[in-house]
Amino acid sequence: MPDIITITALIYSDSDAADRALRDVAMTLMERGFRLAGLVQHNTARPGRSRCDMVLEELASGELIGISQDRGPLARGCALDVGQLLSAMQIVRAALDTGPDLVILNKFGKTEAEGAGFRPLIADAIEAGLPLLIAVPWRNIESWRLFAGAMAREIDLDQLIGEGHSLCDALGLGLGSEEGKEPAVQPLLAISTHH
């Protein structure tokens, strides 16, 4: 178990903004040559449906995994396909063995707040000493804090400005900006235990 904080929780109220931020961070870090594992979410609106289609992109392989159940045009509740989520987690779990520079998980959502979902995957990343970036909605903050305790730092997405390179730099997830500005927080990648 690492004795330093290697988890950053990106706290948000707007899920579309959180999904976009994680995708921007992932793309920017891959352009910078970092090896990533984990999942970012892409949503596709469906005409005539109240819910969008949810697709996870596995970052090590680029594989796309649909995690939505089609429950009909009037369905309102959670449309998560738990079987597909478990399949996505298995792919990420295998990628953890390659020693990525950073693990990104799209959400500590309702399923995780209730005790399932990504919880084992988060534990695997912690046990392996891998830095982790995860989005946590404000509505689940108390469940997150009970789960993560002092192992994580929290950053409010609403307090961050920019996309791509500037977002990575503000999170301390890169090489710093060209202007030599200090990151807003202690660099997460710099505290990875296997470099």
Side-chain angles (χ1 to χ4, degrees):
M1 199 61 117
D3 58 355
I4 51 178
I5 293 176
T6 59
I7 304 172
T8 295
L10 190 59
I11 314 300
Y12 68 90
S13 52
D14 179 342
S15 60
D16 289 337
D19 290 341
R20 196 167 42 252
L22 290 182
R23 288 192 308 266
D24 284 351
V25 165
M27 186 183 320
T28 300
L29 291 177
M30 286 190 283
E31 287 170 358
R32 292 178 176 180
F34 290 98
R35 293 172 301 119
L36 304 181
L39 301 161
V40 294
Q41 186 165 322
H42 302 267
N43 296 325
T44 306
R46 295 188 66 191
R49 303 284 174 128
S50 63
R51 295 285 180 176
C52 60
D53 283 343
M54 299 177 291
V55 176
L56 295 179
E57 177 184 354
E58 199 284 312
L59 296 171
S61 66
E63 184 172 346
L64 299 175
I65 304 116
I67 59 166
S68 298
Q69 293 179 346
D70 187 352
R71 297 177 41 230
L74 302 177
R76 294 274 177 224
C78 182
L80 178 66
D81 183 327
V82 176
Q84 287 291 91
L85 181 66
L86 291 174
S87 294
M89 288 173 54
Q90 290 298 349
I91 296 168
V92 174
R93 188 168 279 123
L96 296 183
D97 293 337
T98 67
D101 297 308
L102 178 68
V103 179
I104 298 176
L105 294 176
N106 67 298
K107 189 184 303 179
F108 187 88
K110 182 176 186 281
T111 306
E112 289 75 21
E114 293 173 348
F118 290 144
R119 281 179 178 241
L121 198 53
I122 296 167
D124 289 345
I126 293 168
E127 188 173 312
L130 299 171
L132 171 69
L133 174 65
I134 186 167
V136 179
W138 277 110
R139 66 181 174 275
N140 295 339
I141 194 67
E142 292 309 320
S143 296
W144 168 255
R145 288 173 177 164
L146 285 171
F147 173 71
M151 291 187 295
R153 63 181 177 174
E154 296 173 4
I155 299 175
D156 186 343
L157 179 58
D158 290 339
Q159 302 302 310
L160 298 177
I161 298 171
E163 353 179 295
H165 296 285
S166 59
L167 184 57
C168 284
D169 295 339
L171 287 169
L173 294 172
L175 305 175
S177 67
E178 293 90 29
E179 295 88 32
K181 294 180 187 171
E182 291 296 316
V185 293
Q186 178 187 8
L188 183 61
L189 292 178
I191 58 177
S192 174
T193 58
H194 62 274
H195 281 285

